[in-house]
Amino acid sequence: MDSETATVSARPAHSHASLRLNFCAGTTGCAVACAKCQVRALGICGALDTSELDEIEALLEHVDVDARASLFMQGDGADYVYTLTAGCVRLSKDLTDGRRQVVGFALPGDFLGLAMGASYGFTADALDHVGLCRFRARDFAAFLDRKPHVMRRMHELAAHELTIAQDQMVLLGRRRADERVAAFLLDWRERLHHITGADHTLHLPMTRQDIADYLGLTIETVSRTVSNFVRQKLLLIVPDGVRILDAGGLRGMVG
Amino acid sequence: MDSETATVSARPAHSHASLRLNFCAGTTGCAVACAKCQVRALGICGALDTSELDEIEALLEHVDVDARASLFMQGDGADYVYTLTAGCVRLSKDLTDGRRQVVGFALPGDFLGLAMGASYGFTADALDHVGLCRFRARDFAAFLDRKPHVMRRMHELAAHELTIAQDQMVLLGRRRADERVAAFLLDWRERLHHITGADHTLHLPMTRQDIADYLGLTIETVSRTVSNFVRQKLLLIVPDGVRILDAGGLRGMVG
DNA sequence: CGAGAGGTTGAGGATCCTCAACAGCCGTGG
DNA sequence: CCACGGCTGTTGAGGATCCTCAACCTCTCG
């Protein structure tokens, strides 16, 4: 446990009590210092001045998680909150009979633990190799109580998430399959663009199953819909993603 | 405009620029003083001490809204935020082609404007005769900045709403019609119970269409599903609501 | 090379929607 | 007073969308 980027190679994303994380202790080793953090402006840390940045840096641990490993499972005690610095995390809720709903995909800058109660409300699985800043929930809450403007920032993020969630309700409740897929692709492009300034070629770290569970569809329907888009020359399928050929056409489907 | 409980009788809930509200100026007139407010503990005001209660009372206007009138429309400038003190408000989002998604029903104690940006993200229509405390958004934001623990309470409410929204995503994305209706009725009972200590007889101030738009179904499917529940002796239909005969049976459907 | 995972495509079927008719309720107005 | 229209809700028949089941393909990895 000594300052190197030894990433955990935990395979089964659904083994409950396995070791899931890997520490990259303190400010030494793998991870970037807050002052040089690429995604600082995107998340909570955008609200911090330099002295506060030092303060929060003392509270965090840099954590590395391998693809397919779980950060935490729905129902686990919510002892930690996270800021994502690299990679993509799938947030999902399971029904007892195996049905699953993906409630979101977290990207760099996103905060995990906005709606933290005693336990996590969803499972978080790494899709990529993921880098995070980890805080003890109690420490982080204490920090917020000392820093009202950071609490305010937290609330702004939560409010934004709530708005997104309501848009997702419209999608799930009232949109057809093709509208859902088109909206997903456009939204994903928007998010990647915001972070990396990406162009029309989208990396999709999630599987078709993940997309289906996010959109309230089956894997076959997602596959068929994407194939239709390709046939209509709206998309091109590329390795690990798609290339958007006609964003206007997709936007026209969403309305 | 003078201190009396003259309620606006605005009929059309969808006329955009009509006068929609009715004031009940300051602490005089119709509405209850904060100190005697029945729902204080339920909402933001549960976080206030007596001096803060005086302070916030100076910021608010008591407002009365008739059934079927709109508090605000999606896209309107978000100049006000509200705390609901009586009645029920439908929160909905419209697509351009007429499809509608109800994103929630607000009850006494609920706060309207958690996710306030420049404009409202949804339309709010009174289903009942509704009583509210209204705040200028700017004044309220300034109050929050002066009172970190109230900001914290706001964030807790937002986090709770976010959790509810994620549960609703599961419902909309992955549950069948009968599960949706059963979950809705049980949840509604829970909420009424929390506020009024109601028993198995539920008042439903919303129409079947509203329920359908909340659950991502059609009015016919809701009607048929309720009829099935009646046939299975899970429910009894009563004027303006239902009586739950077998809560365990309903719970069994949700899982 | 074989096994397994992820993805695509087709045929058939279930769920839910669409369209339509009708019943009950209520306020309006002849 | 009762007829009428409008609104809400219920029920039925038929149909569209999406799901289920199944086969097959590609790619990766041991």
Side-chain angles (χ1 to χ4, degrees):
Chain A
M1 203 69 76
D2 200 352
S3 75
E4 199 39 31
T5 316
T7 61
V8 74
S9 56
R11 264 301 166 62
H14 293 304
S15 70
H16 204 99
S18 63
L19 88 167
R20 301 195 193 103
L21 300 179
N22 160 51
F23 309 75
C24 207
T27 53
T28 65
C30 59
V32 169
C34 292
K36 296 184 181 178
C37 178
Q38 301 278 347
V39 301
R40 176 151 51 98
L42 298 174
I44 291 284
C45 303
L48 303 178
D49 64 29
T50 46
S51 95
E52 288 164 343
L53 226 47
D54 291 344
E55 209 173 323
I56 208 168
E57 198 149 18
L59 294 179
L60 68 81
E61 286 176 303
H62 290 286
V63 171
D64 251 49
V65 179
D66 255 6
R68 331 195 64 145
S70 294
L71 274 77
F72 52 79
M73 307 278 291
Q74 179 175 3
D76 282 0
D79 298 326
Y80 297 96
V81 299
Y82 303 84
T83 291
L84 189 51
T85 57
C88 181
V89 174
R90 179 188 65 214
L91 314 176
S92 61
K93 290 170 80 78
D94 286 291
L95 298 185
T96 52
D97 60 1
R99 286 178 287 181
R100 192 180 67 161
Q101 179 68 34
V102 170
V103 298
F105 298 104
L107 283 174
D110 288 346
F111 189 88
L112 301 182
L114 281 169
M116 57 182 179
S119 59
Y120 296 113
F122 47 76
T123 296
D125 298 312
L127 297 179
D128 278 332
H129 185 91
V130 159
L132 308 113
C133 296
R134 188 175 84 165
F135 306 87
R136 290 202 144 276
R138 298 176 63 93
D139 296 346
F140 194 81
F143 180 75
L144 289 181
D145 282 340
R146 279 182 284 126
K147 305 288 182 184
H149 70 289
V150 186
M151 173 65 89
R152 182 183 173 164
R153 178 91 174 124
M154 278 286 282
H155 180 247
E156 286 166 2
L157 292 183
H160 184 237
E161 287 300 311
L162 186 55
T163 302
I164 289 171
Q166 288 167 347
D167 287 340
Q168 192 70 359
M169 286 188 217
V170 178
L171 183 143
L172 292 170
R174 286 294 177 234
R175 310 210 85 124
R176 290 190 314 273
D178 54 350
E179 299 176 305
R180 296 186 198 192
V181 175
F184 167 72
L185 291 173
L186 289 172
D187 179 58
W188 191 249
R189 184 174 77 143
E190 191 65 33
R191 293 182 70 192
L192 292 187
H193 181 76
H194 186 234
I195 295 169
T196 66
D199 59 349
H200 293 276
T201 301
L202 306 184
H203 176 57
L204 295 176
M206 71 290 287
T207 67
R208 295 286 190 273
Q209 185 66 61
D210 293 332
I211 297 174
D213 287 341
Y214 182 58
L215 299 178
L217 300 170
T218 59
I219 185 173
E220 295 94 332
T221 299
V222 171
S223 188
R224 271 187 260 270
T225 304
V226 170
S227 296
N228 285 338
F229 287 173
V230 170
R231 235 168 274 130
Q232 298 167 51
K233 307 226 183 299
L234 299 168
L235 291 182
L236 216 59
I237 294 183
V238 299
D240 298 320
V242 298
R243 180 171 173 81
I244 294 183
L245 298 179
D246 183 2
L250 289 175
R251 233 173 273 118
M253 312 203 62
V254 178
Chain B
M1 202 72 72
D2 200 351
S3 76
E4 199 41 32
T5 316
T7 61
V8 72
S9 54
R11 267 300 167 64
H14 293 303
S15 68
H16 203 100
S18 62
L19 89 165
R20 305 196 189 100
L21 300 178
N22 159 56
F23 313 129
C24 208
T27 53
T28 63
C30 58
V32 169
C34 292
K36 296 184 182 177
C37 177
Q38 301 279 346
V39 300
R40 176 150 54 97
L42 299 174
I44 291 284
C45 303
L48 303 178
D49 64 29
T50 46
S51 95
E52 289 165 343
L53 227 48
D54 292 343
E55 209 173 323
I56 207 168
E57 198 150 17
L59 293 178
L60 68 80
E61 287 176 302
H62 291 286
V63 170
D64 252 48
V65 178
D66 257 4
R68 329 195 65 138
S70 294
L71 274 76
F72 52 79
M73 309 275 293
Q74 180 175 2
D76 283 1
D79 299 327
Y80 297 97
V81 298
Y82 303 84
T83 292
L84 188 52
T85 56
C88 181
V89 174
R90 180 188 63 213
L91 313 177
S92 60
K93 290 169 81 79
D94 286 292
L95 299 185
T96 51
D97 61 0
R99 286 178 287 180
R100 193 181 65 162
Q101 179 67 36
V102 171
V103 297
F105 298 104
L107 283 173
D110 288 345
F111 188 87
L112 302 182
L114 281 170
M116 58 181 179
S119 59
Y120 295 114
F122 46 75
T123 296
D125 298 311
L127 297 178
D128 278 331
H129 185 92
V130 159
L132 309 113
C133 297
R134 187 175 86 164
F135 306 86
R136 290 202 143 277
R138 298 177 64 95
D139 295 347
F140 194 81
F143 180 75
L144 289 182
D145 281 340
R146 280 183 281 125
K147 304 288 183 184
H149 69 289
V150 186
M151 173 65 89
R152 182 184 175 164
R153 177 90 175 124
M154 277 286 282
H155 180 247
E156 286 167 1
L157 293 182
H160 183 237
E161 288 300 311
L162 187 54
T163 302
I164 289 172
Q166 289 167 345
D167 287 340
Q168 192 69 0
M169 286 187 216
V170 178
L171 183 144
L172 292 170
R174 286 295 178 235
R175 310 211 85 125
R176 291 189 314 273
D178 54 349
E179 298 176 305
R180 297 187 196 193
V181 174
F184 167 71
L185 292 172
L186 289 172
D187 179 59
W188 191 251
R189 184 174 75 144
E190 192 64 32
R191 293 183 70 192
L192 292 185
H193 181 75
H194 186 235
I195 295 169
T196 66
D199 59 349
H200 293 276
T201 301
L202 305 185
H203 175 56
L204 295 176
M206 71 291 286
T207 66
R208 293 287 189 272
Q209 184 66 60
D210 293 332
I211 297 173
D213 287 341
Y214 182 57
L215 299 178
L217 301 170
T218 59
I219 186 174
E220 295 95 332
T221 299
V222 171
S223 188
R224 271 187 261 269
T225 304
V226 169
S227 295
N228 285 339
F229 287 173
V230 170
R231 236 168 274 132
Q232 296 167 53
K233 307 226 182 299
L234 299 168
L235 292 181
L236 216 58
I237 294 181
V238 300
D240 298 319
V242 298
R243 181 172 174 78
I244 293 183
L245 298 179
D246 182 2
L250 289 175
R251 233 173 272 118
M253 312 202 60
V254 177

